[in-house]
Amino acid sequence: MSQPATLRGIRDEVSSGARAAVDVCREALSRLEALDAGLHAFNTVTAERALARAAEIDRDRAAWRDAPLAGVPVALKDNLCVRGVRTTASSRILDSFVPPYDATVVARLEAAGAVVIGKTNCDEFAMGSSTENSAFGPSRNPWARDRTPGGSSGGSAVAVAAGITPLAIGSDTGGSIRQPAALCGIVGLKPTYGRVSRYGLLAFASSLDQIGPLTRTVHDAALTLSVLAGPDPADATSAPEPVGDYVAALTGELGGARIGVPSRMLDHGVDAEVARAFKSALDTLSSRGAVLVDVDLPHAKYATPVYYLVATAEASSNLARYDGVRYGYRAGPGEDGPAKAAQGAANAEHGPAKAGHYVRDVRAEDDLRTMYSRTRERGFGAEVKRRIMLGTYVLSAGYYDAYYLKAQQVRTLILRDYDRAFERVDVVAMPTSPTAAFKIGERVTDPLQMYLGDVFTVSANLAGLPALSLPCGFTTDGLPIGLQLTGRQFDEATVLRIADGYERETGWWKEQPAI
Ligand code: GLN
């Protein structure tokens, strides 16, 4: 296939008038239509809405000339609310939920000229690392269709890697932007905790969740962050910190950059080809004048268990709201569940809630508790139930101190390790994932094995730090490998500058899957 355009390429063409936004939008939709049956990146396609938006931009081109994302097609993870568009979090329990408001990131993207073409598949409520926990079936990796694209923002990564959109938005609680970016050969950025408003994101773990971009280049991630970042009165956890000019930060300069390498952490469990690509990325950085510094993150080995205690505890609380009363699906007596309805609705334009699944009166023969538990039993998938049970357990009287409180204490130690490292270095480098893309079905029956794959991504969320994954090579089987750079709080600019310097030197992003 010919090189799909970057975000910058499309924006420049639309704002200069070389191309109509409607043509760009049609092309994205037709590529989606041609590829999505095989890849399943999308849960919902918003074709009509997108074409109407693009036509508005074309009608008033002068007003949009300086818009940073003029005419750029964007795919949104299906846990981000768009007013009037079905938003499922890939869960049966929300299979017919149509939010009455836009997430702040959606409003900001559209105000910047972006055109939303659809909602992408993900692990149910963003819980997973492979997109296999979706109630609508897994997404497939465009580099090898028998493999997962990673997760949980797998559909977003596939949309970009397959050249359907130059930009997708994901959420990252423990790696869900960075790991699928790595496994699909693209760039994924998790900003600092608080950098981007989460108003309108269906919450998974509130002390960890962040929203961020998936793109083909570091430049495009920097530009998107400039659009998304900044405080929001609708999200009290959004930070007042000033937003930098992230594109201006991309000087290409690597000389003197101090890069921390936690080499002790990398001794075990990293696939040999990933280790080789990582080492060669470090060699490239140092040949361009970066200084490699060995750092110790002594508590990082506890990051995965700490994450799975904190994240499940918060999830059990956040998911209590899905009770059959306030949102989405409600199970009536003797009903089989919404699975069929969900399949029929997948890939359909948004529409009104289905009778019998959205609003239903509690039957006289049914008491409230029975209705709650039947709804949750049928509406949630196995992994979500596992997490709710784990989270409820670690918060329960008698176990709280031993598990949840202890995890919070170790979380502080992990944060301090990073603070100490950042006294000596500008960023910390690690592989994003210990392996390249794994086969569909290979880990899904073994949750512990799936969780262990998150070893390099979860600590940035626990410490609230910005972290980015970008391509750094391929396995001999042609599967992409990701390099992760983690920075100081609110210092996305340095992370982006070093990543961009590396990208300019290597050009891995130009490689395309054969589709
Ligand atoms: N893979 C991790 C999990 O399953 C992270 C998910 C995420 O970042 N949303 O919880």
Side-chain angles (χ1 to χ4, degrees):
M1 108 193 191
S2 63
Q3 273 284 331
T6 59
L7 184 163
R8 168 161 47 180
I10 289 177
R11 192 273 322 273
D12 288 351
E13 284 181 340
V14 172
S15 39
S16 69
R19 270 184 99 191
V22 163
D23 291 341
V24 171
C25 182
R26 282 219 180 90
E27 191 180 301
L29 290 168
S30 69
R31 199 163 166 78
L32 189 162
E33 195 161 316
L35 294 175
D36 209 47
L39 295 173
H40 189 208
F42 286 83
N43 286 344
T44 300
V45 183
T46 54
E48 259 172 53
R49 187 180 181 284
L51 287 165
R53 275 289 301 168
E56 260 172 53
I57 292 172
D58 288 334
R59 252 196 313 276
D60 195 3
R61 195 187 304 278
W64 292 98
R65 199 173 35 231
D66 298 324
L69 303 178
V72 172
V74 57
L76 301 172
K77 186 173 182 178
D78 204 12
N79 60 357
L80 291 162
C81 289
V82 182
R83 192 159 79 95
V85 176
R86 192 173 75 113
T87 296
T88 69
S90 291
S91 180
R92 289 176 182 176
I93 211 159
L94 290 179
D95 78 323
S96 53
F97 172 58
V98 178
Y101 67 103
D102 284 329
T104 296
V105 292
V106 175
R108 288 192 182 178
L109 288 165
E110 292 194 328
V115 174
V116 174
I117 71 159
K119 309 292 299 295
T120 57
N121 194 22
C122 54
D123 287 295
E124 184 176 5
F125 285 103
M127 296 176 190
S129 311
S130 68
T131 324
E132 291 167 289
N133 297 333
S134 166
F136 307 133
S139 299
R140 293 179 179 273
N141 193 313
W143 294 91
R145 293 197 187 191
D146 58 341
R147 292 178 187 263
T148 87
S152 64
S153 313
S156 287
V158 174
V160 174
I164 296 170
T165 57
L167 170 65
I169 305 297
S171 65
D172 188 313
T173 305
S176 278
I177 291 174
R178 292 160 285 156
Q179 182 258 21
L183 272 44
C184 289
I186 61 169
V187 174
L189 170 65
K190 181 199 89 73
T192 306
Y193 183 77
R195 182 54 106 185
V196 174
S197 166
R198 302 174 303 171
Y199 178 71
L201 169 71
L202 303 180
F204 164 7
S206 302
S207 77
L208 302 163
D209 297 340
Q210 253 301 281
I211 297 172
L214 297 99
T215 54
R216 297 187 57 219
T217 65
V218 174
H219 168 280
D220 290 353
L223 180 63
T224 307
L225 182 64
S226 303
V227 170
L228 300 181
D232 173 14
D235 175 2
T237 65
S238 66
E241 245 69 17
V243 175
D245 182 340
Y246 301 112
V247 172
L250 308 180
T251 58
E253 188 55 64
L254 286 174
R258 298 179 66 82
I259 299 178
V261 184
S263 45
R264 275 220 313 200
M265 232 187 121
L266 308 174
D267 285 349
H268 302 290
V270 180
D271 174 84
E273 294 197 273
V274 172
R276 201 173 319 123
F278 177 67
K279 165 119 196 3
S280 129
L282 295 179
D283 291 345
T284 303
L285 286 162
S286 86
S287 74
R288 288 290 319 280
V291 183
L292 304 180
V293 180
D294 203 59
V295 293
D296 198 13
L297 300 173
H299 301 92
K301 57 177 175 290
Y302 304 118
T304 308
V306 167
Y307 167 82
Y308 277 95
L309 292 167
V310 173
T312 56
E314 294 182 13
S316 71
S317 156
N318 274 323
L319 269 59
R321 74 190 67 177
Y322 303 107
D323 55 8
V325 176
R326 286 166 291 180
Y327 311 93
Y329 170 71
R330 172 183 297 172
E335 224 176 76
D336 283 342
K340 275 220 179 77
Q343 264 166 18
N347 282 320
E349 190 87 19
H350 55 92
K354 291 199 176 46
H357 292 292
Y358 192 44
V359 180
R360 177 194 282 264
D361 293 335
V362 182
R363 300 267 186 85
E365 71 265 29
D366 216 5
D367 67 68
L368 196 58
R369 267 180 195 285
T370 311
M371 189 281 290
Y372 286 162
S373 65
R374 195 189 301 115
T375 297
R376 291 165 69 83
E377 160 64 27
R378 292 179 189 166
F380 288 136
E383 180 62 23
V384 171
K385 287 179 188 159
R386 179 179 298 123
R387 303 233 183 165
I388 292 172
M389 287 189 275
L390 267 172
T392 307
Y393 177 75
V394 304
L395 287 175
S396 58
Y399 297 101
Y400 180 95
D401 287 1
Y403 294 110
Y404 184 71
L405 187 67
K406 186 63 76 188
Q408 293 291 20
Q409 289 164 338
V410 181
R411 181 178 186 174
T412 303
L413 297 176
I414 291 169
L415 175 61
R416 285 200 194 135
D417 287 350
Y418 273 108
D419 283 346
R420 214 162 297 131
F422 286 128
E423 287 167 11
R424 299 165 56 219
V425 299
D426 301 313
V427 295
V428 171
M430 285 183 254
T432 309
S433 162
T435 67
F438 43 95
K439 291 227 165 84
I440 291 177
E442 190 180 310
R443 293 188 190 169
V444 74
T445 52
D446 183 351
L448 201 57
Q449 203 203 349
M450 189 76 90
Y451 299 171
L452 289 172
D454 298 335
V455 55
F456 297 129
T457 49
V458 291
S459 61
N461 301 76
L462 290 167
L465 305 171
L468 176 146
S469 178
L470 82 167
C472 73
F474 289 86
T475 65
T476 45
D477 290 343
L479 300 170
I481 298 171
L483 166 69
Q484 178 178 230
L485 301 173
T486 303
R488 298 187 182 93
Q489 280 203 1
F490 297 105
D491 191 14
E492 283 86 357
T494 301
V495 173
L496 288 160
R497 173 172 59 82
I498 295 172
D500 169 68
Y502 174 79
E503 183 187 84
R504 291 188 201 196
E505 188 64 21
T506 56
W508 291 114
W509 69 275
K510 292 179 190 145
E511 303 289 330
Q512 288 300 306
I515 46 175

